[in-house]
Structures are given as structure tokens and as C-alpha cells.
Amino acid sequence: MSDDVQTQVQATDQGSVLIITINRPDAKNAMNKAAAEGIAAALDRLDAEDDLRVAILTGAGGTFCSGMDLKGFLRGETPFVEGRGFGGLTQQSPAKPIIAAVEGYALAGGLELMISCDLVVANANAKFGIPEVKRGLAAAAGGLMKLPDQIPHKVAMEMALTGEFIDAARAHELGLVNRVTDGSAMDGAMELARAICANGPLAVRISKQIIEESRGWSLESRWDEQAKLTPLVFASEDAREGAAAFAEKRAPNWKGK
């Protein structure tokens, strides 16, 4: 990554967890091209390195992401990565799980980044919304398509057409957020990440793949489509190790194969 990209996004390891931090606090972590490229590069690394099991996406300075950098937009800059979408994430998810740790605001493109993650942990004071219509824009980085998949249709419609925000309690009630914390969202996300890391990495990856892809499978084909993937899990060394560890009352030693 270039120095500019490394400045805009910081990627650090904590054991098997890759923490990806949007580092533009003076701009409320508004997404620009360099930050999008930084996220994409970090996610490439997540999937490429066997020792990394889970990523956490967060923002520096008490804000998750306030959306697209409008000053950059006026200069003709687009914070998209080809094939990956807005912020290097919204059109292509990594094969491994990614958790959003949300403090402050997840708005516009920031919300679209959040809902492109597999799980969400948010501080109780967080706020969420797609206010693009207030600026004569549309939530075209996935908000208008993904949000109705994750919350009731009419609630998604209201958020899109009014541009108004919802709070963390309402987001949790709707199922948009997995866990709400009174303290640090990062602490809650790390707890969730560690729970995932304790499991077989191949089983986790295939389980995520089936949950994501099965939404596009027909009722007639879904069992056949799943049958193309699950044998990879059941015939794996990890499957045998998991059974042996259970029988021997010990922690499993996963190999990811």
C-alpha cells in the first residue's frame, strides 16, 4: 500500500483477528479513494493469510464512518474499488467473517459498509441512517438493495425516503445490530471475534458462504447447491479433529483443512 493509503486505513493484528481502522477522524472517517483502497487491501490480506480468521472494521476518533467524502466527490473522486464497490467492501465480501464495531455515526456509505459486514456490534449511543435524499443523492452503494434484506421492508423504505436516523436500541430491535454495548464497541466485537476463532475455520468459512449464497438459490435447487459445499467440511481433517477433541474432552487443534 502507498503511504497515503496506509495513513487513511490502519490494519493491525491481534492474534487471529485483523483490526481494520478507518483513520480519518478529522473528516468523521468520510470515505475517500485512498481509504477504500486500504480496506480492500486489508481484506485481501485477511483471506490470503491462514493465521487470520476474522476481521473487525471500525473507525478512529469515535465515529464509524459518515459516508462518502463529499469534498472528494465534488473534485470528481469516487471512493470505489473495481469489483469491490464502495469502501472496497460493499460489492464483494471477504470469504472470512467481518464484524463492524460501531461508535458514533454509521451514515450513508458508512451504513452501507456496516451492513456489508457479517455481524455488527454497536455502542449504545451509535446512530444509523441513509440520509442521501437530504443531499439530493441516493444510497446506491447497496443501502437501497441490502437494507430491505436485513430489516422490514417498510422500515427500510422509511429510512430511505426520509433520511432520518435510528438509534442503537432500535437497530438492535430490528435485527440490524447483533449486540449493543454500554462500553467500547471494539471490546464487544473482540469478544465476538474470539468466539468465532475458537471454531473450525473451514466450517466457519463454508457456513458463511452458504448463508450468503443461499439467498439466491431456488427452493428446488437449494439442497443440491448446499451439497456442493458441505462435503468440504465433513471430509476435512478439522471435522475429525473436532470429534476427537470432543471425545477426549480437550480443545481442538484446528488446521483449516
Coordinates of all heavy atoms in Angstrom, one line a residue, residues 128 150-152 155 166-180:
F128 N -27.7 5.5 13.2 CA -27.6 4.9 11.9 C -28.6 5.5 10.9 O -29.7 5.9 11.3 CB -28.0 3.4 12.0 CG -27.2 2.7 13.1 CD1 -27.8 2.7 14.4 CD2 -26.0 2.1 12.9 CE1 -27.1 2.0 15.4 CE2 -25.3 1.4 13.9 CZ -25.9 1.4 15.2
Q150 N -32.4 -6.9 5.3 CA -31.9 -7.1 6.7 C -32.9 -6.6 7.7 O -32.9 -7.0 8.9 CB -30.6 -6.4 6.9 CG -29.5 -7.0 6.0 CD -28.1 -6.4 6.3 OE1 -27.8 -5.9 7.4 NE2 -27.2 -6.5 5.3
I151 N -33.8 -5.7 7.3 CA -34.9 -5.2 8.2 C -36.2 -5.2 7.5 O -36.2 -5.3 6.3 CB -34.5 -3.8 8.8 CG1 -34.5 -2.8 7.6 CG2 -33.2 -3.8 9.5 CD1 -34.2 -1.3 8.1
P152 N -37.3 -5.0 8.2 CA -38.6 -5.0 7.5 C -38.6 -4.0 6.3 O -38.1 -2.9 6.4 CB -39.6 -4.6 8.6 CG -39.0 -5.1 9.8 CD -37.5 -4.9 9.6
V155 N -39.8 -0.4 7.0 CA -38.8 0.4 7.8 C -37.7 0.9 6.9 O -37.2 2.0 7.0 CB -38.3 -0.4 9.0 CG1 -37.3 0.3 9.8 CG2 -39.4 -0.9 9.9
I166 N -31.9 6.2 13.1 CA -32.4 5.4 14.1 C -31.2 5.2 15.1 O -30.1 5.3 14.8 CB -32.9 4.0 13.7 CG1 -31.8 3.2 13.0 CG2 -34.1 4.2 12.7 CD1 -32.2 1.8 12.6
D167 N -31.6 4.9 16.4 CA -30.6 4.7 17.4 C -30.2 3.2 17.6 O -30.8 2.4 16.9 CB -31.0 5.3 18.7 CG -32.3 4.7 19.3 OD1 -32.6 3.6 18.9 OD2 -32.9 5.4 20.2
A168 N -29.3 2.9 18.4 CA -28.8 1.6 18.6 C -29.8 0.6 19.1 O -29.9 -0.5 18.7 CB -27.5 1.6 19.5
A169 N -30.7 1.1 20.0 CA -31.7 0.3 20.6 C -32.7 -0.2 19.5 O -33.1 -1.3 19.4 CB -32.4 1.0 21.7
R170 N -33.1 0.8 18.6 CA -34.0 0.5 17.5 C -33.3 -0.5 16.5 O -33.9 -1.4 16.0 CB -34.4 1.8 16.9 CG -35.4 1.6 15.7 CD -36.7 0.9 16.0 NE -37.6 1.0 14.9 CZ -38.6 0.1 14.7 NH1 -38.8 -0.9 15.5 NH2 -39.4 0.2 13.7
A171 N -32.1 -0.2 16.2 CA -31.3 -1.1 15.3 C -31.2 -2.5 15.8 O -31.4 -3.4 15.0 CB -29.9 -0.5 15.0
H172 N -31.0 -2.6 17.1 CA -31.0 -4.0 17.7 C -32.3 -4.7 17.6 O -32.4 -5.8 17.3 CB -30.5 -3.9 19.1 CG -30.3 -5.2 19.8 ND1 -31.2 -5.8 20.6 CD2 -29.2 -6.1 19.7 CE1 -30.7 -6.9 21.0 NE2 -29.6 -7.2 20.5
E173 N -33.3 -3.9 17.9 CA -34.7 -4.4 17.9 C -35.1 -4.9 16.5 O -35.7 -5.9 16.3 CB -35.7 -3.3 18.3 CG -37.2 -3.7 18.2 CD -38.0 -2.4 18.5 OE1 -37.7 -1.6 19.3 OE2 -39.1 -2.3 17.8
L174 N -34.6 -4.2 15.5 CA -34.9 -4.6 14.1 C -34.0 -5.7 13.6 O -34.2 -6.3 12.5 CB -34.7 -3.4 13.2 CG -35.6 -2.2 13.3 CD1 -35.1 -1.0 12.6 CD2 -37.0 -2.6 12.8
G175 N -32.9 -6.1 14.3 CA -32.0 -7.1 13.9 C -30.9 -6.6 13.0 O -30.1 -7.4 12.5
L176 N -30.7 -5.3 12.9 CA -29.6 -4.7 12.2 C -28.3 -4.8 12.9 O -27.3 -4.8 12.3 CB -30.0 -3.2 11.8 CG -29.2 -2.6 10.8 CD1 -29.3 -3.2 9.4 CD2 -29.6 -1.1 10.7
V177 N -28.4 -4.9 14.2 CA -27.2 -4.9 15.1 C -27.3 -6.2 15.9 O -28.4 -6.5 16.5 CB -27.1 -3.7 16.0 CG1 -26.1 -3.8 17.1 CG2 -26.8 -2.4 15.2
N178 N -26.2 -6.9 16.1 CA -26.2 -8.1 16.9 C -26.1 -7.9 18.3 O -26.9 -8.5 19.1 CB -25.0 -9.0 16.5 CG -25.0 -9.5 15.1 OD1 -24.6 -8.9 14.1 ND2 -25.6 -10.7 14.9
R179 N -25.2 -7.0 18.7 CA -25.0 -6.7 20.2 C -24.8 -5.2 20.4 O -24.2 -4.5 19.6 CB -23.8 -7.4 20.7 CG -23.9 -8.9 20.6 CD -22.6 -9.6 21.1 NE -22.7 -11.1 20.9 CZ -21.8 -12.0 21.4 NH1 -20.8 -11.5 22.1 NH2 -22.0 -13.2 21.2
V180 N -25.4 -4.7 21.5 CA -25.3 -3.3 21.9 C -24.5 -3.3 23.2 O -24.8 -4.0 24.1 CB -26.6 -2.6 22.0 CG1 -26.4 -1.2 22.5 CG2 -27.4 -2.6 20.7

